[in-house]
Amino acid sequence: MTKKTILITGGTGYIGSHTAVQLLEADYQVIMLDNLSNSKADVVQRVEKISGKKVSFIQGDIRDDQCLHQVFQNNPIDAVIHFAGLKAVGEGQSQPMRYYENNVSGSLSLFQAMQSFGVKTLLFSSSATVYGDDGVGKYHEQSALSPSNVYGQTKYMVEQILRDIQASDASWRVGILRYFNPVGAHPSGYIGEDPNGIPNNLMPYIAKVASGELTHLNVFGNDYPTPDGTGLRDYIHIQDLAAGHLESLRYMLEKNTSITVNLGTGQPHSVLELVHAFEQVTEQSVPYQITQRRAGDVAICYADPSLAKTLMGWQAKYNIQQMCADTWRWQTYSKTILKI
Ligand SMILES: NC(=O)c1ccc[n+]([C@@H]2O[C@H](COP(=O)([O-])OP(=O)(O)OC[C@H]3O[C@@H](n4cnc5c(N)ncnc54)[C@H](O)[C@@H]3O)[C@@H](O)[C@H]2O)c1
């Protein structure tokens, strides 16, 4: 049987690179397309080193129709996993046009190219930010959609475009995957989250405080209605998240169907729980200060992940201790050995 070829947009990014490794290990051919706006080209070699397999890399942009045309013309692509996008919530608020253009127009260009070349199997990186604040904090796939920021709007809009495409043409197989809070790194320490500048997300920030690159962590509010007063989130190990993509793809191809699923653990943890787990696992201290609540943050947000388990047998396996250990290995190891 010939190997299936998967195009990964945003392939050198955090989630794309971990998913690429698992696809290669499962004997798919992988083509990565990335404009390197938030990642580095040496990720390609790292992915090859972990998997022992070759990857095709194209430096290009999903908003470049000519580039997309060439990619689909020159490669026998069976399915696309679409990670490419901008993801910083605060940046989206201050640069809405850039976010709508990159995330929404870029996605539309990609879907048009797929349609022209008859490639109609797609997984899309959506986010828990599409859900509105329901005051409870546990979200299932039928929960009301009401994003509260520009970034979440871009995800909601692309989801809607995909729902309309499916409604107009039943031969499309679309997987809308709503991620909760991906953290951790590949256990090899070769790939992990490598944001440009000061991290926006909690775990990379904690890792940089522990390593001394940043002095302390700001904890935004300790007066939420939660056991320790800090916000509760659903942290999911990147390896579990990557596995969720493989299971979704397998399920969609086998059943010839579309899906919308949450990918989370269903276990909420507070900011301080994560900080203390990190300190315990790594034996490093993480100084923090309690500051004002941050606008737009909700008290509690975690997944009801039961649909993904019922449909395709996927569930998260890693706990927060493993998430911390793998983050720390990446934080420390990558600095010393990764001159490939
Ligand atoms: N990490 C999270 O917390 C999280 C949560 C929910 C959803 N998501 C979504 O998952 C996807 C992947 O996230 P990530 O954490 O791996 O982010 P990332 O920034 O590490 O990866 C995204 C990649 O896309 C590339 N890219 C951006 N715009 C592009 C364009 N126009 N053309 C080509 N490449 C482009 C970037 O260079 C980067 O390598 C994003 O769409 C993000 O919105 C992420």
Side-chain angles (χ1 to χ4, degrees), residues 11-82:
T12 46
Y14 174 43
I15 309 174
S17 56
H18 289 80
T19 304
V21 168
Q22 293 195 18
L23 285 168
L24 291 161
E25 287 170 350
D27 228 16
Y28 289 93
Q29 306 261 28
V30 168
I31 302 170
M32 289 175 169
L33 172 71
D34 202 298
N35 67 2
L36 301 180
S37 59
N38 197 37
S39 55
K40 300 182 182 74
D42 71 2
V43 168
V44 177
Q45 290 156 276
R46 295 167 189 227
V47 165
E48 289 180 338
K49 192 163 171 96
I50 299 170
S51 63
K53 308 244 172 93
K54 289 304 273 182
V55 174
S56 304
F57 173 63
I58 299 153
Q59 183 172 349
D61 198 295
I62 55 164
R63 293 163 296 175
D64 178 347
D65 291 333
Q66 230 181 332
C67 166
L68 289 176
H69 185 92
Q70 274 176 10
V71 172
F72 284 98
Q73 179 96 302
N74 298 339
N75 299 283
I77 294 167
D78 294 290
V80 176
I81 308 186
H82 176 32

Side-chain angles (χ1 to χ4, degrees), residues 9-17 33-40 60-64 82-88 101-103 106 124-129 151 154-155 177-183 192-196 201 238 241 245:
T9 72
T12 46
Y14 174 43
I15 309 174
S17 56
L33 172 71
D34 202 298
N35 67 2
L36 301 180
S37 59
N38 197 37
S39 55
K40 300 182 182 74
D61 198 295
I62 55 164
R63 293 163 296 175
D64 178 347
H82 176 32
F83 295 104
L86 301 173
K87 61 168 183 174
E101 204 251 330
N102 195 80
N103 292 5
F124 171 61
S125 297
S126 190
S127 163
T129 53
Y151 167 70
T154 69
K155 293 294 173 190
L177 308 183
R178 295 185 182 141
Y179 314 152
F180 281 67
N181 296 69
V183 296
E193 189 170 8
D194 191 11
N196 289 335
N201 293 340
I238 187 72
L241 189 68
H245 291 75

Side-chain angles (χ1 to χ4, degrees), residues 43-335:
V43 168
V44 177
Q45 290 156 276
R46 295 167 189 227
V47 165
E48 289 180 338
K49 192 163 171 96
I50 299 170
S51 63
K53 308 244 172 93
K54 289 304 273 182
V55 174
S56 304
F57 173 63
I58 299 153
Q59 183 172 349
D61 198 295
I62 55 164
R63 293 163 296 175
D64 178 347
D65 291 333
Q66 230 181 332
C67 166
L68 289 176
H69 185 92
Q70 274 176 10
V71 172
F72 284 98
Q73 179 96 302
N74 298 339
N75 299 283
I77 294 167
D78 294 290
V80 176
I81 308 186
H82 176 32
F83 295 104
L86 301 173
K87 61 168 183 174
V89 171
E91 200 180 61
Q93 295 305 102
S94 58
Q95 301 173 33
M97 286 193 276
R98 181 170 162 238
Y99 267 64
Y100 286 118
E101 204 251 330
N102 195 80
N103 292 5
V104 182
S105 302
S107 295
L108 198 52
S109 298
L110 174 68
F111 307 155
Q112 280 163 337
M114 290 177 66
Q115 169 98 359
S116 329
F117 285 88
V119 179
K120 296 185 179 177
T121 304
L122 170 82
L123 290 180
F124 171 61
S125 297
S126 190
S127 163
T129 53
V130 296
Y131 295 119
D133 179 8
D134 66 356
V136 178
K138 181 174 184 178
Y139 296 95
H140 58 77
E141 290 78 358
Q142 299 310 318
S143 297
L145 302 181
S146 172
S148 61
N149 54 52
V150 169
Y151 167 70
Q153 285 290 353
T154 69
K155 293 294 173 190
Y156 173 78
M157 286 179 185
V158 175
E159 282 200 7
Q160 191 54 45
I161 291 169
L162 290 171
R163 283 188 279 272
D164 291 339
I165 292 174
Q166 286 171 71
S168 73
D169 178 353
S171 63
W172 274 80
R173 289 176 292 202
V174 175
I176 293 176
L177 308 183
R178 295 185 182 141
Y179 314 152
F180 281 67
N181 296 69
V183 296
H186 192 272
S188 65
Y190 277 100
I191 52 173
E193 189 170 8
D194 191 11
N196 289 335
I198 306 269
N200 286 295
N201 293 340
L202 179 61
M203 187 68 115
Y205 206 106
I206 290 177
K208 285 196 187 294
V209 171
S211 71
E213 282 178 58
L214 295 169
T215 54
H216 67 276
L217 172 74
N218 289 315
V219 176
F220 300 114
N222 66 349
D223 56 353
Y224 285 107
T226 61
D228 67 18
T230 66
L232 296 180
R233 294 291 178 275
D234 186 335
Y235 299 100
I236 173 170
H237 196 295
I238 187 72
Q239 291 290 93
D240 279 330
L241 189 68
H245 291 75
L246 267 81
E247 288 307 322
S248 301
L249 186 62
R250 185 189 52 74
Y251 180 81
M252 284 164 51
L253 293 173
E254 259 175 40
K255 307 276 179 199
N256 191 25
T257 191
S258 294
I259 51 170
T260 296
V261 287
N262 285 340
L263 295 179
T265 64
Q267 300 292 323
H269 291 284
S270 76
V271 175
L272 291 183
E273 263 183 273
L274 196 65
V275 169
H276 297 319
F278 198 93
E279 290 185 317
Q280 249 177 3
V281 167
T282 65
E283 300 181 345
Q284 307 293 315
S285 80
V286 179
Y288 65 87
Q289 281 176 6
I290 306 290
T291 62
Q292 294 282 315
R293 286 184 183 194
R294 194 170 50 177
D297 279 351
V298 295
I300 305 172
C301 178
Y302 68 106
D304 175 342
S306 53
L307 182 64
K309 185 171 182 203
T310 309
L311 286 182
M312 53 202 199
W314 174 89
Q315 64 182 331
K317 299 191 191 106
Y318 291 87
N319 60 28
I320 58 167
Q321 282 72 24
Q322 290 160 311
M323 300 177 204
C324 294
D326 289 335
T327 301
W328 187 237
R329 186 176 309 104
W330 158 245
Q331 174 73 31
T332 48
Y333 200 45
S334 63
K335 298 282 176 302

